[in-house]
Amino acid sequence: MSLTDDQQQNIQMKLDFSSAPRGEASKAGREATESLPAMHGTESPAGTDRLMEEICERENLREALRQVKANKGSPGVDGMTVGGITDYLKQHWPAIREQLLSGTYKPLPVRRVEIPKPDGGGVRKLGIPSVLDRFIQQAVMQVLQRRWDRTFSNHSYGFRPGRSAHHAVAQAQQYIAQGYGWCVDLDLEKFFDRVNHDKLMGRIAKRIEDKRLLKLIRAFLNAGVMENGLVSPSVEGTPQGGPLSPLLSNLVLDELDRELERRGHRFVRYADDCNIYVRSERAGRRVMESIARFIMQRLKLTVNEAKSAVARPQERKFLGFSFSFGPELKRVIAPKALDRFKRRIREVTRRAKGVSIEATAEELARYMVGWRNYFGFCETPEVLSSLTGWVRRRLRCALWRQWRTARRRRAALTALGVGPVLARNTAASYRGPWSTSQNKALHIGLSNAYFRSLGLPSLAEKG
């Protein structure tokens, strides 16, 4: 069925992507993304045969567009940027909408991108959909999440409204404090790459009657991957990088959550990171063997034996955190997370040789604020204070290298308010930059207040 010019114009007028929702519509859009209490159960597919119309509703599309723009991201295989999506939709939306409602929409292949893993252990493969496909996936995800999220387990924290990694870590801490002092740390090997499409579609079909939506989700799963100009078919996996993938991963692992609940385990799952807490090592080894067998036989996924373990929680990391030994159980930053932080700071301050201190401080501040917002959840403020002091010392060291000669060093110190005698003696020192960075003159001239004036935050202080 094709649309007349009048019908197309009418759809475009209704789909005013350039204006923001106001009043009750705005409120409804915000409420749609708020968390719903998780309840045990599965949504019936009854009454879900018109979901594509719900996906194409004006307010849902506006919210999807807002989210895609906010997330920014790289172009897909067609080269379209996030900035160009609004004008594209104004011109082409009637035809796209008709394809969605008729079940004939065909997504483009995803663009393969490899990014280094934070721990240095190889690369993580991402699949970047086109901006248009991201927009449609986001619209689909919003409708399905509103329906599905309430049915997911209370033990699941990843990619869910109103839930976060901090909630997961706090729940793990609570289990440990209750005496469950052994952890079954399960690592699913290449989880996002190994999801069985047929098994996943079977689970989705139990919740959705709309054949057009089932066909669209299957099309996204089978869209293929473009790498070095060649398109390869995707026969398994949900490529990381699209808005729909996290929701589908939660649906896949909901079966694991239900099994763990059925067995009465205390556990926390965030995406494919799952920790089960037990009272003894013996119990942990029994649980590890049993659950690993369930994951392989029922979910058709693989447990990475090299990265999985039964151990004390204090000896493992969970979402970047670990826990302290002793009577007072505290959240601490995992050693690998601290190493990553220092490695990043070193990279930035090493590049400072030919860059102004203002530009370097600005780059550091962006990273440190984001890092603090996450790892400030730890309960060891002394570590945060120490790291802040270490960053300042790195900057003092970088500036000392920038000044290079004794004459420039003396002039710079004097200009920063250091007395002439101390400035002259410090500038004449033959000690290396790292040692000199602790010198009294540098602490006077390059004080904590000086770095605050450049916008460099303290990791121990919010705001």
Side-chain angles (χ1 to χ4, degrees):
M1 180 184 70
S2 60
L3 300 177
T4 67
D5 291 342
D6 289 342
Q7 287 174 315
Q8 290 185 355
Q9 186 177 7
N10 186 43
I11 291 172
Q12 285 177 314
M13 290 176 64
K14 289 182 178 180
L15 197 65
D16 180 11
F17 284 102
S18 60
S19 61
R22 296 183 294 272
E24 291 301 315
S26 175
K27 180 181 177 184
R30 287 195 304 273
E31 289 178 348
T33 62
E34 291 177 1
S35 175
L36 293 164
M39 298 184 296
H40 197 80
T42 301
E43 183 193 21
S44 167
T48 61
D49 60 337
R50 303 278 295 173
L51 286 181
M52 196 62 81
E53 280 75 11
E54 188 176 340
I55 289 164
C56 291
E57 284 179 0
R58 183 183 184 193
E59 295 307 327
N60 186 58
L61 294 171
R62 277 182 170 173
E63 176 60 20
L65 184 62
R66 188 188 70 79
Q67 288 290 345
V68 168
K69 286 183 173 181
N71 293 336
K72 299 178 181 178
S74 304
V77 296
D78 60 352
M80 183 193 297
T81 64
V82 171
I85 183 65
T86 301
D87 289 340
Y88 184 87
L89 287 171
K90 284 181 177 179
Q91 183 177 355
H92 298 285
W93 175 248
I96 297 167
R97 181 178 184 273
E98 183 178 6
Q99 291 171 18
L100 291 170
L101 294 178
S102 63
T104 59
Y105 181 84
K106 294 187 183 301
L108 293 173
V110 299
R111 181 170 64 88
R112 171 70 77 217
V113 175
E114 294 183 350
I115 60 171
K117 289 187 177 180
D119 58 5
V123 296
R124 176 175 285 114
K125 293 185 176 183
L126 299 183
I128 309 299
S130 70
V131 177
L132 175 60
D133 287 340
R134 293 208 295 271
F135 165 68
I136 294 172
Q137 282 195 34
Q138 179 70 31
V140 171
M141 186 277 291
Q142 289 168 181
V143 168
L144 295 185
Q145 188 170 60
R146 285 195 293 268
R147 291 172 170 270
W148 293 357
D149 191 74
R150 73 189 74 186
T151 71
F152 289 154
S153 168
N154 275 321
H155 300 272
S156 163
Y157 293 86
F159 312 125
R160 298 182 63 187
R163 290 173 168 247
S164 70
H166 289 172
H167 294 134
V169 173
Q171 181 60 69
Q173 182 181 17
Q174 190 172 340
Y175 286 143
I176 300 165
Q178 291 170 355
Y180 296 88
W182 286 86
C183 170
V184 180
D185 186 353
L186 288 166
D187 183 276
L188 301 181
E189 187 172 354
K190 297 182 178 179
F191 165 71
F192 286 93
D193 299 330
R194 299 275 173 85
V195 172
N196 182 286
H197 286 179
D198 291 336
K199 189 171 179 59
L200 171 58
M201 290 306 303
R203 293 190 66 82
I204 296 172
K206 290 179 180 178
R207 294 170 176 252
I208 292 177
E209 276 190 323
D210 194 324
K211 303 298 184 184
R212 300 164 299 174
L213 183 52
L214 291 172
K215 186 178 178 182
L216 178 63
I217 294 173
R218 172 72 84 166
F220 278 124
L221 291 174
N222 295 341
V225 178
M226 179 175 283
E227 195 168 10
N228 298 321
L230 299 175
V231 177
S232 304
S234 43
V235 294
E236 63 179 357
T238 58
Q240 296 181 74
L244 193 54
S245 180
L247 179 64
L248 297 183
S249 72
N250 271 337
L251 182 61
V252 171
L253 292 175
D254 185 57
E255 189 173 352
L256 173 62
D257 296 339
R258 292 179 185 279
E259 180 65 17
L260 292 173
E261 287 177 345
R262 188 185 68 79
R263 299 185 186 192
H265 288 310
R266 288 151 181 83
F267 70 98
V268 180
R269 184 178 66 77
Y270 189 96
D272 56 338
D273 285 328
C274 183
N275 283 3
I276 307 167
Y277 295 89
V278 296
R279 291 191 181 274
S280 69
E281 182 179 12
R282 183 179 177 184
R285 297 201 178 282
R286 186 173 64 249
V287 170
M288 171 69 84
E289 182 180 347
S290 173
I291 295 301
R293 187 166 55 247
F294 173 85
I295 290 171
M296 288 185 283
Q297 292 178 354
R298 288 286 297 276
L299 303 186
K300 308 301 181 187
L301 297 169
T302 303
V303 174
N304 188 328
E305 295 183 4
K307 293 185 177 180
S308 301
V310 176
R312 293 288 189 182
Q314 293 84 349
E315 298 169 354
R316 306 294 292 178
K317 65 178 179 66
F318 182 52
L319 303 176
F321 291 91
S322 188
F323 303 95
S324 64
F325 285 98
E328 189 178 359
L329 185 69
K330 291 183 177 181
R331 297 185 296 270
V332 301
I333 303 170
K336 284 188 176 180
L338 292 173
D339 290 343
R340 286 197 298 271
F341 174 83
K342 290 190 171 185
R343 187 163 59 245
R344 177 66 179 273
I345 299 300
R346 287 190 184 101
E347 289 173 2
V348 175
T349 52
R350 280 181 189 135
R351 295 197 304 267
K353 186 175 181 180
V355 181
S356 71
I357 186 62
E358 291 80 9
T360 300
E362 183 181 355
E363 183 177 358
L364 287 173
R366 286 196 300 268
Y367 175 67
M368 290 171 68
V369 167
W371 195 89
R372 180 185 64 191
N373 288 342
Y374 186 78
F375 287 103
F377 189 60
C378 75
E379 296 174 309
T380 52
E382 65 279 3
V383 173
L384 300 177
S385 296
S386 176
L387 284 175
T388 304
W390 179 80
V391 173
R392 291 171 182 152
R393 187 177 177 187
R394 290 287 308 181
L395 283 172
R396 293 185 184 108
C397 183
L399 278 170
W400 191 250
R401 287 195 180 98
Q402 274 191 12
W403 296 336
R404 297 181 64 183
T405 66
R407 182 178 62 81
R408 289 179 60 189
R409 286 168 175 171
R410 183 173 70 175
L413 289 173
T414 303
L416 287 165
V418 180
V421 176
L422 182 57
R424 183 178 64 248
N425 291 341
T426 304
S429 171
Y430 287 100
R431 291 190 299 170
W434 185 245
S435 178
T436 306
S437 63
Q438 288 189 303
N439 190 285
K440 181 181 178 181
L442 269 72
H443 277 267
I444 293 173
L446 304 175
S447 64
N448 295 351
Y450 169 79
F451 289 121
R452 281 197 296 271
S453 73
L454 296 177
L456 193 76
S458 167
L459 295 172
E461 300 172 9
K462 291 278 179 91

